[in-house]
């Protein structure tokens, strides 16, 4: 049997195992390990398992995962999340879908201090899901908003996605960061537009609150001052070079503890409780990440991405059609591969094609990162979906997926807009850097 | 059979609580380490080797919490089709899922022990503080084996209840 | 025909490809008439990151891997003598020094593998943002990112504060001012796009070098036929290592020349008089370091054929 067929069978087996309710991490790991064993050897599979487990668990950049979860837990424990959503409700709760829109804006803001989509979705999910439920928002809509909004983490700078793309393709990180800003805002606006539409189609899913007076709005804002200060101090610290985006997670958690203790809302027991409940979420997310990284060597050994690339390069059709096919490849591969692994596997193949066809490499970087974002929320291996599930275990996975579906379509729309109007990405880097 | 399982379940539960307490402490320690480093650097004297500490501690947090995560049923499965399957099939699938998990964690434990032996042979340690890599790999392996054991017990338990025997967990919980 | 898997973790456009991988692949395939081929897995396809590369070759995840000794410096204590500042005399090459000492001193640091190439980078430089450095006084209190323990201690001896962070974080850290500069080879300026955020470069401070290895799984090598082994032997070793070292130096020179021509960046080429105060600190530092390494002096003697 050829390696490509084994690769394809592996993907089918993965789908089957997931349908059969084998926990996601175990299903992915089993397929990856068995695949490597068939295409190479069992020693190789075991060695990959050992090194990926340790490498990911000791990755100094992933320390943001437990620390941001801790920050979210402390914010919940001290009632700061509640105050934040009370404020948002007082300000825009009377608009249908207002809170979900506010959450998406919150995700965009959080993306400005965090380079990883995983951490964005985790933190925003911790803070917002229970709160939206408190105001009777449907779990479907809120989960979709958080999972999709969380992906903004890698489109709005700083972004680990752009850094990896830049290093793989020798492009400017600065230009890519600037190029991500407007598409990030565009996507954010499109998400909000969808929430608005949805709340008119199904008013029950995002009920409008009562009108509030200016006084109530002011009181609401006042209550949210501590958490807003924490956010401002954290963003300020990053942009003035006092700490790095990775360290910001510790600073955010530290500040939340200090404020909580100062407001007498937090004792040693509550801190411990918040820290201990961080463990479950961290382990859930990390074992999925470890498993997702086992699929990468398997697919590399199957030569599927490579042959796909060669096939596309050999096609004698118009450049725009090749571009569309490449983007379609990303959308499909994104269903199975962890985002950064996908960049690593595909860039050496697709990038030369794209440059030789005369497409702008910075613009392509933005489109690819957008495709990575879609991969983060598309089944079966949609990391952000599992993240939302891990912070809100009582929401059914099927509800999360169906809540996400429209947001995923919105992202397709954003991609079409980016292809039709490349200026959306290029205007900022072209005017601000030359 | 159920009576045989009972003490084993109690034992894994105790070990799981212990490892979760340990990991929680390590998480708070990492928080303090990074904060000390940030504040120290602001005043011109960062904490030497804070990255070494963070990296190794992270291993303990992630895997030390694994059994605890398992106990809280933290491993996510796709529940899309649960209602379409007959109850018996669902129960069998539960058992298979647990078995897959037990095998995965047992494999991680086994292979990381081998990797730890290699680390010892190569004398691997972190760059600045010289923390040896092997002990952290052994810890990772130990935590994984605990998780595997815990999954395996749950699996046996479900099998027993599938065969109509008593459910040992329920007995312990009472 | 037999196929060897070669894995690395950088892009397909990195200097490594043209200077090490392509020559090895072409020569091996030509010498065996295509009976032995090499398939390259770039960008960490078979496993990400620099930390586990040696172990991957040792365990056979890939047959051949590339790595930086500095990431696992505890394994390469003796080999990394070559990284110390000022130990490579004018007219000598780092790869020659490594191969001179390989059989007698360094072999034990490569258990289970057969090194195909050992070489060193261009001398490290200081890559700074908004700070011009021409004396140790200029470095006082500045935060400099370092990758290894040795450079860390050296930077501290020069009066600066060493800061540890992963390579992809450097760009952002320089941009926001979290760090004032980076001590590493000039090739990193292009590898990590540092030229976009840095604007001042100091060349000539004794900061040492970075050592690289390309190793092959020993069992895999032993399993090959005599002709295939001979083809690998003839295509590797000093000649291949030289190709790497020359390419690294050329790339660094080209980068620095580009920066010298760029009106927005300052390249400070230190004069011997300006280097002297740095050497006054680095020379005793090297002596001290050689003492700390078990048999360090003997290693250096073997490297220099003394
Ligand atoms: Na971001
Ligand atoms: Na996906």
């Amino acid at each position: 049997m050829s390696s490509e067929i084994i690769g394809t069978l592996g993907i089918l087996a993965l789908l089957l195992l997931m349908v059969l309710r084998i926990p996601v991490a175990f299903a992915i790991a089993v397929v990856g390990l068995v695949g490597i064993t068939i295409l190479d050897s069992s020693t190789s599979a075991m060695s990959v398992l050992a090194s990926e487990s340790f490498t990911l668990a000791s990755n100094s950049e992933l320390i943001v995962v437990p620390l941001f979860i801790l920050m979210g837990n402390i914010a919940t424990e001290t009632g700061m999340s509640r105050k934040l959503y009370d404020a948002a409700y007082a300000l825009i709760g009377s608009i249908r879908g207002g809170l979900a829109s506010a959450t998406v804006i919150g995700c965009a803001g959080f993306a400005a201090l965090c380079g990883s989509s995983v951490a964005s979705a985790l933190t925003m999910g911790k803070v917002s899901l229970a709160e939206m439920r408190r105001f009777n928002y449907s779990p479907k809509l809120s989960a979709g908003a958080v999972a999709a909004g969380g992906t903004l983490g890698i489109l709005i700078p700083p972004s680990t996605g752009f850094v990896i793309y830049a290093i793989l393709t020798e492009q400017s990180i600065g230009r890519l960061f600037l190029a991500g800003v407007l598409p990030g805002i565009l996507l954010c606006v499109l998400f909000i537009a969808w929430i608005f539409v949805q709340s008119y189609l199904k008013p029950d899913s995002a009920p409008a609150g009562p009108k509030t007076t200016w006084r109530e709005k002011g009181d609401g804002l006042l209550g949210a001052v501590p958490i807003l200060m924490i956010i401002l101090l954290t963003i300020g610290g990053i942009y003035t070079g006092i700490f790095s985006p990775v360290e910001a997670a510790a600073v955010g958690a530290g500040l939340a503890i200090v404020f909580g203790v100062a407001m007498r809302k937090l004792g040693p027991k509550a801190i411990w409780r918040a820290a201990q409940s961080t463990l479950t979420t961290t382990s859930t997310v990390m074992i999925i990440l470890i498993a997702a990284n086992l699929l990468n060597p398997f697919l590399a050994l199957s030569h599927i991405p490579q042959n796909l690339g060669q096939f596309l390069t050999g096609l004698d059709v118009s450049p725009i059609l090749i571009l569309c096919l490449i983007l379609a490849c990303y959308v499909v591969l994104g269903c199975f591969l962890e985002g950064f692994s996908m960049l690593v596997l595909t860039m050496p193949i697709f990038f030369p094609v794209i440059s030789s066809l005369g497409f702008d490499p910075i613009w392509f970087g933005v489109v690819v990162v957008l495709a990575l974002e879609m991969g983060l929320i598309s089944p079966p291996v949609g990391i952000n979906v599992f993240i939302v599930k891990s912070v809100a275990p009582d929401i059914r996975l099927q509800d999360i997926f169906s809540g996400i579906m429209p947001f995923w379509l919105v992202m397709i729309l954003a991609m079409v807009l980016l292809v039709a109007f490349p200026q959306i990405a290029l205007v900022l880097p072209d005017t601000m850097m030359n | 059979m159920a009576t045989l399982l009972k003490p084993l379940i109690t034992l894994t539960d105790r070990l799981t609580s212990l490892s979760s307490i340990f990991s929680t402490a390590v998480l708070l320690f990492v928080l303090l380490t990074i904060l000390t480093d940030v504040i120290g650097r602001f005043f011109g004297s960062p904490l030497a080797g804070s990255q070494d500490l963070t990296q190794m501690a992270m291993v303990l947090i992630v895997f030390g919490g694994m059994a605890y995560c398992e106990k809280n049923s933290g491993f996510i499965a796709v529940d899309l089709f649960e209602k379409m399957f007959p109850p018996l099939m669902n129960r069998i699938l539960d058992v298979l899922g647990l078995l897959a998990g037990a095998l995965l964690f047992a494999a991680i434990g086994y292979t990381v022990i081998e990797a730890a032996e290699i680390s010892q042979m190569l004398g691997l340690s972190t760059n600045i503080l010289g923390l040896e890599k092997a002990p952290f790999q052994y810890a990772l392996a130990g935590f994984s084996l605990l998780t595997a054991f815990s999954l395996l017990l749950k699996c046996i338990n479900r099998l027993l209840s599938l065969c109509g025997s008593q459910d040992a967990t329920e007995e312990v919980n009472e | 025909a037999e196929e060897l898997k070669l894995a690395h973790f950088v892009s397909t456009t990195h200097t490594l490809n043209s200077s090490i991988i392509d020559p090895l692949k072409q020569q091996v395939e030509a010498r065996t008439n295509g009976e032995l081929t090499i398939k390259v897995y770039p960008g960490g396809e078979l496993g990400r990151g620099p930390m586990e590369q040696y172990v991957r070759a040792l365990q056979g995840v890939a047959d051949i891997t590339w790595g930086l000794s500095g990431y696992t410096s505890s394994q390469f204590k003796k080999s990394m003598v070559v990284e110390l500042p000022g130990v490579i005399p004018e007219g000598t090459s780092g790869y020659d020094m490594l191969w001179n000492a390989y059989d007698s001193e360094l072999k034990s640091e490569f258990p289970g593998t057969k090194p195909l190439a050992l070489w060193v980078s261009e001398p490290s430089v200081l890559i700074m943002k908004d700070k011009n450095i021409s004396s140790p006084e200029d470095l006082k209190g500045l935060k400099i990112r370092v990758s290894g323990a040795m450079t860390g201690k050296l930077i501290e001896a020069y009066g600066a504060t060493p800061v540890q962070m992963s390579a992809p974080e450097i760009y952002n850290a320089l941009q926001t001012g979290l760090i004032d500069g980076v001590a590493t080879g000039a090739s990193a300026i292009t590898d990590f796009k540092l030229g976009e955020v840095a604007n001042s470069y100091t060349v000539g401070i004794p900061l040492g070098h970075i050592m690289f290895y390309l190793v092959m799984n020993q069992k895999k090598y032993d399993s090959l036929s005599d002709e295939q082994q001979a083809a690998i032997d003839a295509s590797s070793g000093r000649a291949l290592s030289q190709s790497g070292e020359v390419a690294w130096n050329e790339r660094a020179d080209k980068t620095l020349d580009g920066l010298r021509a760029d009106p927005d960046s300052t390249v400070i080429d230190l004069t011997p008089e300006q280097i002297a105060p740095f050497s006054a600190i680095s020379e005793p530092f090297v002596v001290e370091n050689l003492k700390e390494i078990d048999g360090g002096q003997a290693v250096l003697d073997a490297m220099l054929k003394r």
Side-chain angles (χ1 to χ4, degrees), chain A residues 70-110:
Chain A
L70 178 62
M71 173 174 147
N73 280 344
I74 301 267
T76 309
E77 190 84 41
T78 52
M80 283 192 260
S81 315
R82 196 184 178 92
K83 288 273 166 61
L84 184 68
Y85 272 80
D86 283 343
Y89 198 64
L91 288 176
I92 50 170
S94 61
I95 305 168
R96 279 186 199 171
L99 280 190
S101 304
T103 303
V104 169
I105 294 173
C107 286
F110 194 79

Side-chain angles (χ1 to χ4, degrees), chain A residues 331 333-338 372 374-383:
Chain A
V331 173
L333 284 176
C335 294
F336 305 99
L337 282 168
E338 189 267 329
L372 290 197
M374 295 174 64
L376 286 170
I377 57 171
S378 58
V381 187
I383 305 281

Side-chain angles (χ1 to χ4, degrees), chain A residues 107-117 120 151-160 239:
Chain A
C107 286
F110 194 79
L113 70 90
C114 176
S116 126
S117 285
S120 293
T151 67
L152 291 169
I154 53 168
L155 193 55
I156 295 175
S159 151
T160 323
Y239 286 93

Side-chain angles (χ1 to χ4, degrees), chain B residues 158-171:
Chain B
R158 294 278 166 85
L159 263 181
L160 288 179
S161 70
L162 207 63
C163 304
S165 167
Q166 263 187 315
D167 191 320
T169 13
E170 274 164 26
E171 222 176 280

Side-chain angles (χ1 to χ4, degrees), chain A residues 40 47 51-52 55 61 168 170-174 238 240-242 244-246 293 297 301 303 306 344-345, chain C residues 5 11-13 39 41 43 45-48 52 56 59 61 166 168-169 171-172 176-178 191-193 196:
Chain A
D40 195 333
S47 168
S51 70
E52 293 304 310
T55 310
E61 287 167 66
L168 287 173
E170 314 219 297
Q171 296 301 313
S172 151
I173 299 177
I238 292 176
T240 51
I242 299 174
S244 72
V246 172
N293 275 280
L301 289 167
H303 303 159
Q306 209 178 359
V344 159
L345 270 184
Chain C
K5 296 192 294 286
S11 75
T12 46
T13 49
K39 164 109 181 99
Y41 293 85
E45 286 184 355
L46 293 188
R48 273 201 280 177
E52 303 261 335
R56 288 195 181 106
Q59 291 200 304
V61 174
S166 66
E169 284 183 83
Y171 183 95
N172 211 45
T176 61
L178 178 69
D191 284 349
F192 296 105
K193 311 280 137 216
E196 290 174 26

Side-chain angles (χ1 to χ4, degrees), chain B residues 51-145:
Chain B
Q51 200 184 21
D52 287 12
L53 281 176
T54 311
Q55 282 181 325
M56 292 302 144
M58 173 107 174
V59 173
L60 304 178
I61 296 169
V62 171
F63 276 88
M66 217 50 99
Y68 184 70
C69 174
E70 192 281 317
K71 212 171 105 185
N72 294 330
S73 309
F75 300 127
I76 297 163
V78 178
D79 46 14
L80 230 56
F81 304 93
E82 190 173 359
K83 283 187 182 149
M84 289 181 212
F85 299 148
L88 179 67
M89 179 169 169
N90 271 323
R91 286 162 76 182
I92 294 173
L93 291 176
D94 280 340
V95 169
L96 286 178
L98 291 167
L99 194 63
L103 283 175
L104 173 64
F105 280 105
I108 294 179
Y110 170 77
T111 184
V112 172
I113 287 176
E114 277 189 340
E117 283 161 6
I118 290 178
S119 300
Q120 275 177 325
M121 176 182 87
L122 299 177
L124 296 182
S125 58
T126 63
N127 264 344
I128 304 282
L129 296 180
L131 300 172
E132 274 179 52
K133 190 175 172 184
F136 292 93
Q137 290 177 307
Y138 283 123
L140 191 164
F143 289 134
S144 293
L145 292 176

Side-chain angles (χ1 to χ4, degrees), chain A residues 210-347:
Chain A
K211 286 248 180 294
T212 49
T213 62
W214 285 107
R215 196 191 161 78
E216 282 168 316
K217 290 186 207 292
D219 285 349
L221 260 185
L222 209 62
V225 162
I227 189 159
L228 290 175
M229 270 179 69
I230 293 175
I231 295 169
L232 279 180
L233 285 172
T234 316
I235 294 187
I238 292 176
Y239 286 93
T240 51
I242 299 174
F243 42 79
S244 72
V246 172
E247 292 162 340
V251 173
L255 283 173
I257 292 177
V258 170
F259 275 66
V261 170
M263 297 186 307
R264 295 172 186 278
K265 294 267 175 63
L266 200 65
K269 266 191 188 157
I271 296 175
W272 184 267
R273 204 163 46 231
Q276 194 166 28
S277 72
T278 302
L279 294 182
T280 308
T281 323
T282 306
S283 298
T284 309
V285 172
M286 289 300 300
I287 194 70
I288 293 180
L289 279 178
I290 290 171
N293 275 280
L294 298 174
L295 271 190
N296 198 25
F298 169 43
L299 285 184
L301 289 167
S302 81
H303 303 159
I304 289 181
Q306 209 178 359
N307 293 342
L308 215 55
Q310 267 160 8
F311 170 72
L312 288 178
T313 334
L315 285 180
D316 187 25
V317 290
S318 69
I320 191 76
L321 193 59
I322 294 189
L323 174 78
C324 292
L325 286 173
I326 288 181
L327 292 178
C329 271
Y330 272 108
V331 173
V332 174
L333 284 176
C335 294
F336 305 99
L337 282 168
E338 189 267 329
F340 299 139
S341 309
M342 183 162 81
L343 268 186
V344 159
L345 270 184
T346 56
M347 258 326 125

